[in-house]
Amino acid sequence: MGPTITAFKSSPDRGRGLARDMRVRWALEEVGQPYDVRLVTFAEMKAPTHRALNPFGQIPTYEDGDLALFESGAIVLHIAERHSGLLPNEAAGRARAIAWMFAALSTVEPPIVERSMAVLVERDTPWFDARQPMLEDRVRTRLAELSGRLGDADWLDGAFSAADLMMVTVLRRLAGSGILEAYPSLCAYIARGEARPAYQRAFDAQLAVFAALSPPATC
Ligand code: GTB
């Protein structure tokens, strides 16, 4: 039996692959590991049964036999370490790929999330207009640094790895913000990630959850 992950029963992104189960689904698809999904409502996420898996009452979680994990980064790293294809075999390259995974999660993602959370929950506050340019500048700083390092390369450090999977999912959170367009190499980088068959299978699977919620109207 394969692992079971959790995902939103009704994702606020309407199946656009922005919730963090997407990166776990993508990793599982890349390594060819079939998996089950348990869909949870917001109320279920905050109930003791789910909090036993994730003390913060969030998705995604991962269960495989006796092992239960939370934190999308830890889950993707676990998958990448158990299967071939997502981390280099050579020790130094593997360590660098893991460093890039941390960079995606702890250096690039925080300003992106802070900006999008402000748009979501602070739009009507008196400080929104003054604060938003500063939050956007912080995002632009990271994007400029990242695109500077990526240069003309296809991926962050040699072949595609879990580092790229993580970074692409982090950058996708900027879709529709109008910020990414100033960094064509990052747009192309995201497009390369999205073109991978494993990405597309993962995307389709999470979109199907949303589609099942809202079947097309009939006459
Ligand atoms: N650090 C944790 C991880 O990486 O696993 C963060 C997990 C997390 O933020 N989970 C979110 C969650 O469960 C879902 S992904 N939120 C419910 C809660 O905290 O009560 C974040 C997310 C949600 C929705 C969109 N969207 O609609 O665009 C994008 C991202």
Side-chain angles (χ1 to χ4, degrees):
M1 223 176 81
T4 298
I5 67 167
T6 52
F8 284 132
K9 190 167 270 178
S10 173
S11 186
D13 74 346
R14 306 166 66 85
R16 285 181 300 139
L18 298 177
R20 288 181 175 93
D21 58 293
M22 178 62 199
R23 48 188 73 163
V24 175
R25 292 174 184 269
W26 186 5
L28 289 164
E29 291 289 352
E30 285 286 349
V31 300
Q33 170 64 61
Y35 61 99
D36 290 318
V37 182
R38 189 169 62 251
L39 301 174
V40 288
T41 62
F42 274 85
E44 285 163 348
M45 275 191 294
K46 306 303 172 191
T49 317
H50 187 79
R51 281 196 195 272
L53 297 171
N54 181 333
F56 306 109
Q58 296 185 314
I59 59 100
T61 59
Y62 172 100
E63 294 153 81
D64 193 9
D66 290 342
L67 178 68
L69 289 175
F70 61 100
E71 285 298 329
S72 58
I75 298 170
V76 170
L77 181 55
H78 174 75
I79 295 165
E81 282 181 328
R82 285 201 56 221
H83 301 266
S84 61
L86 278 177
L87 284 174
N89 291 326
E90 172 256 327
R94 200 173 177 93
R96 283 197 306 275
I98 294 170
W100 272 115
M101 290 179 71
F102 276 85
L105 294 177
S106 61
T107 301
V108 180
E109 187 166 53
I112 291 176
V113 169
E114 196 173 1
R115 179 207 155 269
S116 61
M117 288 307 287
V119 171
L120 220 57
V121 300
E122 291 178 24
R123 197 181 268 289
D124 296 330
T125 61
W127 60 82
F128 179 80
D129 286 341
R131 187 162 177 263
Q132 200 60 5
M134 179 195 73
L135 295 182
E136 296 200 346
D137 276 354
R138 286 185 190 156
V139 172
R140 286 194 183 93
T141 298
R142 288 294 178 248
L143 297 185
E145 290 162 340
L146 183 63
S147 74
R149 172 55 80 97
L150 184 65
D152 295 332
D154 278 355
W155 306 115
L156 288 169
D157 191 6
F160 174 85
S161 77
D164 300 294
L165 182 155
M166 200 56 78
M167 193 65 84
V168 166
T169 56
V170 163
L171 295 175
R172 286 192 73 252
R173 187 92 183 249
L174 287 168
S177 68
I179 296 178
L180 272 169
E181 288 65 17
Y183 308 89
S185 70
L186 294 183
C187 294
Y189 173 63
I190 296 168
R192 274 191 293 281
E194 291 174 339
R196 293 180 71 83
Y199 173 93
Q200 289 172 10
R201 287 193 296 273
F203 186 90
D204 290 348
Q206 59 80 44
L207 181 60
V209 174
F210 178 76
L213 271 181
S214 28
T218 52
C219 50

